[in-house]
């Protein structure tokens, strides 16, 4: 993985300003939500002409984000580059999840670059439980554990800025576990508790209390 000796702050600033101009917040997000169809939405976000369906648009948006984050890797110092690398790997999880039935039935998971350890861990954590919910939760768990580990390696001043965003994503995973697993599927708290990701804003004890709530 290429590394930069020092961050190119001018270029990074220009990239951030460009990204800020593309963010759909407030009135622009409302306007996008009111588009009458997928094709109109695709044109509004400047998707290529060949993007005409919902799945194609979702795929293009994921891949566009992957490319943008991957382009940051050679522009930031070592710990930041490792974090960006892992964010790119996380964007590929959606494609991996689509293969989960074959992965669960296979004697060994196929190669998926840096995600291979996550796949191996997910199969072990999901165990023999047949529901897709367990395997997808195990994949997310493995990804988030490594994400938190890479976040901790950032310099303190960078971590102060980045941590709230990434840890919020991890705790949304905890919320989904409780809402879907415990209260949607009726999974026992003891089964869900091992999926907790340490080092987030939601400690294990509070997560356990959520799972045991009536």
């Amino acid at each position: 993985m290429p590394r930069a000796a020092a961050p190119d702050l001018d270029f990074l600033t220009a990239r951030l300003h460009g990204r800020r101009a593309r963010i759909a917040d407030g009135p622009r997000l409302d306007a996008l939500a009111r588009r009458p169809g997928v094709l109109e939405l695709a044109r509004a976000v400047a998707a290529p002409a060949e993007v005409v369906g919902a799945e194609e648009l979702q795929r293009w948006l994921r891949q566009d984000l992957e490319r943008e984050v991957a382009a940051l890797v050679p522009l930031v110092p070592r710990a930041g580059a490792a974090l960006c690398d892992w964010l790119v790997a996380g964007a590929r999880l959606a494609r991996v999840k689509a293969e989960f039935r074959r992965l669960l039935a296979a004697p060994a998971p196929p190669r998926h670059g840096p995600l291979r350890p996550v796949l191996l861990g997910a199969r072990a954590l999901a165990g023999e439980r047949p529901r897709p919910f367990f395997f997808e939760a195990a994949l997310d768990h493995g990804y988030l554990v490594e994400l938190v580990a890479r976040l901790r390696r950032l310099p303190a001043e960078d971590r102060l800025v980045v941590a709230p965003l990434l840890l919020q994503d991890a705790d949304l995973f905890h919320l989904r576990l409780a809402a879907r697993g415990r209260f949607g599927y009726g999974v026992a708290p003891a089964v869900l508790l091992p999926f907790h990701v340490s080092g987030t804003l939601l400690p294990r004890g509070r997560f356990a209390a959520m799972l045991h709530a009536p």
Side-chain angles (χ1 to χ4, degrees):
M1 180 174 60
R3 303 291 186 201
D8 186 337
L9 296 180
D10 290 337
F11 185 74
L12 282 174
T13 299
R15 292 293 297 267
L16 289 174
H17 277 295
R19 163 51 67 179
R20 179 66 180 82
R22 295 169 56 195
I23 291 177
D25 58 353
R28 183 163 183 248
L29 181 60
D30 185 63
L32 288 174
R34 295 176 185 275
R35 294 283 173 171
V38 174
L39 188 58
E40 292 80 6
L41 179 59
R43 300 293 82 82
V45 297
E50 59 269 20
V51 174
V52 295
E55 290 186 9
E56 293 170 334
L57 179 58
Q58 290 175 353
R59 187 184 310 113
W60 177 79
L61 288 170
R62 286 196 304 267
Q63 292 173 348
D64 184 55
L65 180 60
E66 285 180 37
R67 288 189 292 269
E68 185 162 10
V69 177
L72 297 176
V73 172
L75 303 175
V76 293
R78 181 176 296 273
L83 181 63
C84 288
D85 258 350
W86 196 243
L87 289 172
V88 172
R92 297 174 183 147
L93 270 183
R95 297 200 296 271
V96 175
K97 288 178 182 178
E99 302 176 20
F100 76 90
R101 293 187 187 278
R102 182 170 63 83
L103 292 174
L104 287 174
R111 296 184 181 277
H112 277 274
L115 285 175
R116 183 173 172 80
V118 173
L119 293 170
L120 291 167
R123 292 190 64 194
L125 187 57
E128 300 301 322
R129 305 180 183 99
R131 286 179 180 167
F133 167 79
F134 288 108
F135 186 62
E136 293 188 9
L139 277 176
D140 287 333
H141 172 270
Y143 166 73
L144 290 168
V145 166
E146 180 63 19
L147 184 69
V148 171
R150 296 191 185 206
L151 174 64
R152 288 173 173 168
R153 298 180 198 131
L154 291 178
E157 59 181 349
D158 293 341
R159 193 166 60 247
L160 189 64
V161 175
V162 176
L165 295 173
L166 299 187
L167 295 183
Q168 176 179 265
D169 193 35
D171 284 330
L172 284 173
F173 165 70
H174 291 138
L175 182 60
R176 290 193 299 269
L177 274 180
R180 292 183 61 202
R182 180 72 182 91
F183 302 107
Y185 298 136
V187 179
V191 175
L192 292 173
L193 191 57
F195 288 88
H196 178 263
V197 179
S198 298
T200 71
L201 301 176
L202 185 71
R204 187 180 179 91
R206 185 174 298 175
F207 180 60
M210 289 171 56
L211 296 177
H212 284 90

